[in-house]
Amino acid sequence: MKTAIAIVIYNKWCGDSNTCQFLKNTNFPPDYVLVIDNSTKPVDNENYCKENGWTYHSMQGNAGLTKAYNAALNILKDKTDVIVWADDDTRFTDTYFESLKTHVSNNPDAAVFLPIVKANNTIISPCIFSTGEMIIAESVEALNGKEMSGINSGMAVKTSLYDNYRYDEGYFLDYVDHDFLRWCRLNSYSFCVMDDITLIQSFFAQSNPSKKAKRIRFNIYKKDYARFQRKCGVSRFRIIEHLLKKYIYEQFISG
């Protein structure tokens, strides 16, 4: 079984990426490493990838996450049996790929493999999907019998699943993973929770962004959120109510 990892990087040198440092130093590397560069400023990631024997692909600017993912699929579709998706700021365990191979072998009916991902000691993935929203699970056991969702960090997917799927390029950044997993649930693809793998997700957002920066980020979020909620059948009133509350909180209440 061949494994590949696709990392989307944005305005960061690979040498400063937790994920790239893991791949450079791990004793159990994947068979193929692909770096998709969404950077909008000059960063010498191409040479870094060449030095490490990785494949590099530039999107010539920030094309959005879904276009980056679809570009990765076009490159990887005939090269691997399993694709692992990764942010550039995820802390992987050294034995991730060895454990992944065991889970794939032991769960032949599963198509999607989700590690436990934590941030600030809280499980953020997998999570519970309920009426268009994602609810944090108090424990892995709390996921039993519930509809599941999760985030892209460390998510592994059998390449054969993508014979029937491409990422919806109507999304730019948010809800890409939840939209994908919703499609998987609707099409009866099985999930496997890799409960022996715990990854740590870091978030490098500005601690005190300006009101202008918050508005720019909100404008990206609102389009992706509304698109996802409409697909889930949520009413226009509920969508507007949520977005209004979020905007007021971020612009006038939060630091």
Side-chain angles (χ1 to χ4, degrees), residues 30-183:
D31 298 289
Y32 198 94
V33 176
L34 170 64
V35 172
I36 301 288
D37 199 339
N38 254 348
S39 296
T40 57
K41 61 184 182 181
V43 187
D44 192 15
N45 286 325
E46 186 170 9
N47 282 330
Y48 187 96
C49 291
K50 285 180 180 177
E51 289 169 4
N52 287 283
W54 303 344
T55 298
Y56 173 84
H57 179 79
S58 173
M59 296 300 292
Q60 305 299 317
N62 189 1
L65 196 58
T66 48
K67 288 184 179 180
Y69 278 9
N70 285 336
L73 290 177
N74 291 337
I75 294 168
L76 293 174
K77 61 183 178 180
D78 298 322
K79 295 180 172 64
T80 183
D81 301 301
V82 177
I83 299 172
V84 175
W85 299 104
D87 295 328
D88 60 29
D89 54 2
T90 305
R91 295 187 183 277
F92 281 76
T93 58
D94 185 57
T95 57
Y96 173 90
F97 283 97
E98 290 299 290
S99 296
L100 171 62
K101 289 177 181 179
T102 299
H103 283 286
V104 173
S105 177
N106 292 343
N107 298 275
D109 295 330
V112 179
F113 299 82
L114 296 167
I116 306 301
V117 184
K118 289 186 176 182
N120 299 322
N121 295 318
T122 298
I123 297 174
I124 59 173
S125 181
C127 55
I128 298 167
F129 175 82
S130 178
T131 60
E133 300 294 343
M134 270 50 69
I135 301 168
I136 287 175
E138 295 291 331
S139 65
V140 176
E141 290 72 26
L143 295 163
N144 293 336
K146 304 288 178 60
E147 285 198 329
M148 234 186 294
S149 194
I151 66 172
N152 290 321
S153 300
M155 179 193 300
V157 184
K158 286 183 177 176
T159 311
S160 57
L161 181 151
Y162 292 110
D163 291 342
N164 303 309
Y165 185 84
R166 282 297 184 272
Y167 289 92
D168 179 354
E169 295 184 1
Y171 292 98
F172 188 81
L173 179 61
D174 298 300
Y175 288 91
V176 175
D177 34 23
H178 300 302
D179 187 69
F180 167 66
L181 291 175
R182 178 177 179 269
W183 179 87

